[in-house]
Structure formats: C-alpha cells, structure tokens
Amino acid sequence: MAGSNRDVAERLRFMAQLLEVTGEEDVFKVRAYERAAQQVEGSPVPVSELDEKALVAIPGIGSGIAKKIASIVRTGTFPELSELKAKIPDSLPELLKLDGVGPKTVHRLWMKLGIESIEDLEKAARSRRIRAVKGFGEKKESEFLRSIAQYRASATRMTRDRADAVVAKVASVLTPGTFEVAGSYRRGKSTVGDIDIVSKESPRAVNARLRPIADEMINEGEQRTSVRCLGERVDIRFTDIGSFGSMLIYLTGSKDFNIRLRALAIERGLKLNEYGLEERTGGTFHTFPDEASLFATLGLPLIPPEIREDRGEIERALAGDLPVLVGPGAIRGDLHVHTSATDGRMTLEELAGAGAERGYEYILISDHSSTLHITHGLDADGVTAQGKEIERVNRTSVCQLLAGIEVDIMADGSLGLPDRVLGDLDIVIASVHSGLHEEKDTMTRRILSALANDHVDILGHPTGRLFPSRAAYDLDMDRVMEVAKGNRTALEINASPYRMDLDDPQIREARDRGLLLSIGTDAHEREDLGNISHGITLARRGWCSPGDILNTMDRDALLRWAS
DNA sequence: GCCGTTTTCGGCCCGACTGTTTTCAGTCG
C-alpha cells in the first residue's frame, strides 16, 4: 500500500533526484524535497493520518509539499513527479550514485553525449568520447571507470560488525587517545557507508603508517586522507588539538544536523565551521577542544551523537528538554539467546558464566521451537527438560537464567507450541521465521493473532529484515504497535548486526506511543553477547530512556511484568 | 520549496579538494 512514511519519503526523494538531473532547478528546491523526505522518514506518526495543517507543522514541510504528500497517500504519486518522470530516462538518477558524479555532470553528459545509464557512461569513457566535451578530460574518463568498478563491487553498506573490523584495523596504526571515529558509525546507524575518523596526529606520520595496511591510498592530503582498507573507504581528517571539538561535530554530522547547527550559529551572530566559531562582526575566532564547550557557546547541552539527525533534537535541546538516553550501565540482562540444545553453541552453564562476567542479573534462554526444524528446535518435552536444567544451574549461578522460548509464529497465526507449555515459561518471544513473502494483510493478521495470545510477552525481530539480502516483510506496523500496546506486549530490538530490527524510526515511534522495548542479542555463541551494545545504540537512536527498555528492570520486576 | 521578534522576498552551511581551468565549477563530506 502506498502511504507509509517510507513510501512517501521515497517518492519525495525521487523527486529531488529528478530535479537534480534536470539541472534546471536551484539546489535549494532539491534540498527542500530531501529535507521533507528525511522528516517524513523520521516522523513517529504516519503522515497518512495527518491533515494539511498538521503536516505544515512539521519543520521543512510547507503547504506545497503537504499537498504532494496528500496526493501520494491518495494516489501513490503526485502530478509534478509524474510529469518529470516522463521527461527523464529511468536509468539517469542511478548515475548520481557514482563517486565524483553529481547532477551537473549527469545533465551535461546526457545532453552532450546522450548518456542515460551507467552502461552508457562506461562505453563512452572506454571509447574516449568524453574528453571531447568541454570541461572534461582524460583524468575524468579514468575516474568514471574507477567509480563504476567501485560502485559495482560494493553496492551495499557495511554491517556494524564489519565496520568494527575496519575501525580496528585502522585504529591499530593510530595512537590511542589521539583520534575519534565520527560519521554514521559514531551516530550508531544500523549500517555504515564509510568510516570517518578525526585525528590529532601529524598527517605525514599517519599516512606513512597507513600505507602498509591499506588496500589503496585514494588520496593523501595535509588536511584529509582517504584510503581503502578491507575493501571499505576510510576518510581521516586531521586537526590540531584546539579545534578537535568543532572538527568532531562537523565530521559526526548528520549533514542535516550540521546545517541546522550552522543556521543556529547565524541566529546568534556567529559563523560555524569545522575550525570553530567566528563572530560575524569583529571577526574574533573561537576554538573548542571538545564538543561540549562548542554546544554550550551556542546555548545547547551536549546532544548525544545518536540523535543528531535533525528530527527535533535541536528544538528539544534549546528547550532544555532532551530525553535522558538509556546507556550500557542500565542494562541488567540479555533477553534473547540460544543454547547448544538447539542451534546455539553455548551450554546453560557457559551462558550463566558469561552473563555473570558481564555483570548481568539475568539472561533469557530463548531457543527455537521444534517447528523450526532446521535448528532442531525444542518440543514440549525438550522445554520441560531444559526448565529442569535451568533450575539446577540457577542454584549456583550469580546470573539467573530465565526460562523462555522463541516460539514460531506459524502461517495461520498459531504458535509452534501449545499454551500449556508456554504458560509454564517465564517469558515468551514469538517470531516469524517462515512464509516471509506473504501479502501485507496476511502477514499483519498472522502477527496480530500471535500477539493476541496472553502468553506472548515479546514480538521478536518484528520486521524480519536481514542484511544485506532480505528486506523487511510487508507489515502494517502501525496496527501491530496499536495491538501490542493494548496487550502490553513488548517489541524486540534485535541487536544482531545482521538484523538491527526494529530500526530506529520505528523504535522512536514505539517509544512515543508508550510501548516497552526489549533488547536481545539473539546470541548463538559467546562473542555474540557483545552485540548488546548495538541494541543499546539503536535504542538511543530511537530516543529511549531506561524506563522504555525492559532490560533495565530487575529480575523480580521483569517476572511480575511478564506474569 | 521553505521560512521569517530585523525579512512575505530573498535568502537558504561551509570549506577542501580535484580537474580543468587561466580564475573556477563541481563534488564531497
């Protein structure tokens, strides 16, 4: 169905791309559509439910785009988009994804050489036809070919664990305490495009140390160096200690956040750049060794990196009303792990030990039910036997194991184990693992029917997405949240780097509606338990406070909540 | 296209870097 926030944002963003490649409109109109798309995507409320007045109240959406959103919700598109789409080859906007290729380049190549696609561009560059166009030369041709090869090699973004590996490799040649990873990595996004690092060391020293570990030095500068490492792009920006704070803010972004921050600086009679703040009259320049002092000068508290997305955080910060975000210290346990009884690697004893090492009060044992044959899931007898084992382990364990299950939601919406079995367990997670390509209505009904079961406490990985290959299944999340709220069912934040499910806009929506969220690593082996940090980061991106997160309850409160 | 306790018109974040330039446009972050 057209009209979900994601659909609307996609149409608006497509409009922005088409406007870009026509090359006729100014960049500000393009940005207006992009910003509107961003706002819709981050909106906790479905825009399909808002009237024009409520839409215009969203920053970045005026009466013009409000009407277009209404049209998208009603018809799936809007007239200006349809008209523009008819004028431009479908394959043209994809050219914008190439590194070094922007709207002006696309427009010019299209007009002068009839280049409409990446394939066209490749052919033209190979046959050396591009250098004939004024403003292009030999270097540009080889640059295009390089970009095309790179684009084809890595069309997907990094998962968090892959990003961690790249960061670790680069960090191994940097001096501890002299750098900070910035960019979308620091903001905690579910996937990461490239790695950005701010360094206080000397460029020459760092460049020399990077060469042996890099696949390729893309370019080496005094201010900035770009390398490819483990196949991924890493940008390092050099700064002196005095400007570290402003440089870190600049490189952490997001882009939209930076634009708002700079606009705020202008309102204060200041000009913000990556080196500091300049007074517009008099020209006195102020530098900041850390972020907090720069924020303070703008009249703001330190805004946590995870929420720097221009989704209302600046307004809330100005009002002194930022939420207190949940942190690692508040987490008392892991609410989704598997054991060697099914497809996991750890025994109950090992899990209890690993939990104690992490300082956990509890771990929820949640193996698959037998209906998921591929994992050798537990049947009723298996659950009973595991329950006895859990009691035995708990007698000597500091970290208490909770008896649970990740029960399958079957095609007809029933659950993979009978109620009498589920009723004996402390906490029940219900998840979909099969029939992932059902129609939206069918999938929604399946899940609602599972939520209607009183024994179900948590809906596991609610959208079913899997990086890099599987998209979220089609689901009326609005309805699911409504019913989950009514039944007091928690939604899971699955912290596996391959799932990261729910994603942050949905977490924010759930939080705003007063739902509880449960962080689970879905660990199958010991190292996976560390993924809890990804879940906490996601919760922070969704503006969650400790009170929004199930895992911050102590064991007794948790069991009371579940009963 | 959005926005407004200086503005309903005329702004809209700012700097580094590259390639193609002989003074700058385009792209990127």
Side-chain angles (χ1 to χ4, degrees):
Chain A
M1 187 192 89
S4 74
N5 282 358
R6 184 173 300 187
D7 293 326
V8 172
E10 199 176 281
R11 303 318 283 168
L12 294 175
R13 196 162 278 136
F14 189 42
M15 181 69 182
Q17 286 189 335
L18 293 181
L19 284 174
E20 266 196 301
V21 296
T22 60
E24 286 157 20
E25 300 287 350
D26 66 298
V27 294
F28 300 106
K29 188 164 169 179
V30 174
R31 184 182 299 156
Y33 275 103
E34 276 170 354
R35 173 148 195 252
Q38 165 94 9
Q39 291 294 330
V40 168
E41 217 161 43
S43 164
V45 187
V47 291
S48 55
E49 286 175 11
L50 301 179
D51 60 17
E52 187 172 335
K53 196 173 158 214
L55 285 171
V56 170
I58 299 173
I61 295 179
S63 61
I65 288 186
K67 286 195 179 65
K68 292 175 174 88
I69 290 174
S71 172
I72 295 170
V73 169
R74 228 175 30 248
T75 68
T77 185
F78 54 96
E80 292 83 352
L81 179 62
S82 306
E83 284 163 24
L84 205 50
K85 196 168 175 295
K87 284 193 219 161
I88 292 169
D90 288 344
S91 55
L92 209 55
E94 196 188 7
L95 284 162
L96 292 172
K97 293 184 180 166
L98 298 174
D99 203 30
V101 177
K104 295 285 198 300
T105 303
V106 171
H107 185 71
R108 192 114 126 263
L109 292 174
W110 179 36
M111 288 292 129
K112 298 278 181 191
L113 296 174
I115 288 170
E116 295 185 357
S117 66
I118 291 180
E119 289 68 34
D120 290 348
L121 180 63
E122 187 179 25
K123 272 186 226 158
R126 284 200 195 289
S127 59
R128 306 180 174 188
R129 285 189 285 126
I130 293 174
R131 62 187 67 176
V133 181
K134 189 164 185 285
F136 294 92
E138 216 173 310
K139 286 243 176 92
K140 273 286 174 192
E141 284 176 348
S142 50
E143 175 67 14
F144 288 148
L145 291 173
R146 200 193 63 82
S147 294
I148 291 169
Q150 185 55 41
Y151 174 69
R152 287 177 179 156
S154 67
T156 54
R157 293 166 62 86
M158 282 175 266
T159 51
R160 296 287 315 185
D161 60 334
R162 176 155 182 77
D164 284 337
V166 177
V167 166
K169 179 138 189 176
V170 174
S172 72
V173 300
L174 301 176
T175 308
T178 64
F179 70 94
E180 187 96 46
V181 183
S184 59
Y185 180 90
R186 181 164 182 247
R187 297 203 313 282
K189 290 206 66 163
S190 296
T191 58
V192 177
D194 63 6
I195 303 291
D196 298 295
I197 294 175
V198 183
S199 166
K200 300 177 195 172
E201 294 191 89
S202 98
R204 280 180 51 197
V206 169
N207 288 342
R209 281 181 257 142
L210 280 169
R211 262 175 236 123
I213 65 152
D215 311 333
E216 176 193 1
M217 303 295 285
I218 298 170
N219 49 56
E220 298 178 51
E222 282 293 304
Q223 310 282 343
R224 175 197 303 160
T225 284
S226 300
V227 304
R228 197 165 305 288
C229 183
L230 297 177
E232 307 290 351
R233 186 185 175 110
V234 180
D235 292 329
I236 299 173
R237 189 67 197 263
F238 301 101
T239 174
D240 55 47
I241 295 168
S243 287
F244 188 75
S246 49
M247 187 63 83
L248 187 55
I249 288 176
Y250 158 69
L251 216 62
T252 296
S254 66
K255 183 179 152 202
D256 292 321
F257 177 84
N258 284 348
I259 289 172
R260 287 297 313 281
L261 211 56
R262 285 173 169 175
L264 187 68
I266 291 172
E267 283 176 32
R268 306 261 192 276
L270 298 162
K271 188 172 78 167
L272 173 64
N273 62 26
E274 57 263 53
Y275 305 107
L277 280 170
E278 185 183 347
E279 293 179 21
R280 296 213 131 186
T281 53
T284 311
F285 201 82
H286 304 272
T287 59
F288 304 89
D290 56 64
E291 290 186 329
S293 54
L294 198 162
F295 277 121
T297 304
L298 291 174
L300 295 168
L302 180 72
I303 299 176
E306 293 93 335
I307 61 171
R308 296 182 195 169
E309 298 289 345
D310 189 21
R311 289 180 185 164
E313 70 279 4
I314 291 178
E315 291 77 4
R316 292 282 292 269
L318 285 170
D321 189 27
L322 275 183
V324 176
L325 301 183
V326 63
I331 299 297
R332 295 172 187 255
D334 193 327
L335 290 175
H336 189 159
V337 306
H338 296 269
T339 78
S340 53
T342 61
D343 62 343
R345 291 274 185 79
M346 285 173 291
T347 63
L348 294 174
E349 278 93 349
E350 285 168 339
L351 270 166
E357 263 175 45
R358 305 188 70 85
Y360 285 164
E361 281 178 35
Y362 50 78
I363 285 182
L364 174 63
I365 304 302
S366 50
D367 276 315
H368 293 287
S369 60
S370 57
T371 42
L372 196 60
H373 300 294
I374 196 168
T375 66
H376 310 294
L378 300 178
D379 58 13
D381 289 344
V383 172
T384 308
Q386 190 178 58
K388 292 210 173 97
E389 277 293 290
I390 288 174
E391 278 179 31
R392 185 182 61 75
V393 172
N394 277 346
R395 282 201 282 273
T396 57
S397 171
V398 183
C399 172
Q400 292 287 290
L401 303 180
L402 306 178
I405 194 85
E406 183 183 13
V407 67
D408 252 343
I409 299 174
M410 313 299 285
D412 62 359
S414 66
L415 298 175
L417 283 167
D419 280 359
R420 62 177 173 79
V421 177
L422 301 179
D424 283 344
L425 293 165
D426 293 327
I427 293 181
V428 172
I429 303 175
S431 308
V432 171
H433 291 107
S434 58
L436 305 171
H437 301 293
E438 307 245 39
E439 296 267 309
K440 181 174 190 172
D441 284 349
T442 313
M443 187 58 97
T444 304
R445 249 182 289 128
R446 262 175 94 178
I447 290 178
L448 293 186
S449 143
L451 294 182
N453 186 309
D454 280 345
H455 298 302
V456 172
D457 301 299
I458 299 168
L459 176 63
H461 44 73
T463 79
R465 70 173 180 176
L466 213 50
F467 298 125
S469 49
R470 190 197 295 160
Y473 32 70
D474 214 357
L475 186 63
D476 186 347
M477 187 56 77
D478 186 44
R479 186 91 182 93
V480 167
M481 286 192 191
E482 190 181 315
V483 172
K485 164 96 180 170
N487 296 355
R488 298 178 58 253
T489 311
L491 301 185
E492 182 177 62
I493 298 174
N494 189 298
S496 160
Y498 301 100
R499 291 198 180 273
M500 304 294 270
D501 178 10
L502 294 173
D503 200 0
D504 49 275
Q506 294 165 323
I507 294 170
R508 171 119 180 244
E509 178 168 350
R511 181 209 90 114
D512 288 351
R513 290 178 174 212
L515 276 83
L516 275 170
L517 294 138
S518 146
I519 304 177
T521 59
D522 210 344
H524 285 71
E525 42 200 301
R526 177 177 277 261
E527 304 81 73
D528 297 345
L529 293 171
N531 290 336
I532 196 82
S533 62
H534 300 318
I536 296 167
T537 301
L538 260 185
R540 291 169 64 83
R541 284 186 60 80
W543 292 45
C544 287
S545 298
D548 301 315
I549 303 295
L550 212 50
N551 316 45
T552 64
M553 292 184 184
D554 65 32
R555 178 171 169 274
D556 291 345
L558 182 61
L559 293 177
R560 268 201 308 279
W561 170 81
S563 65

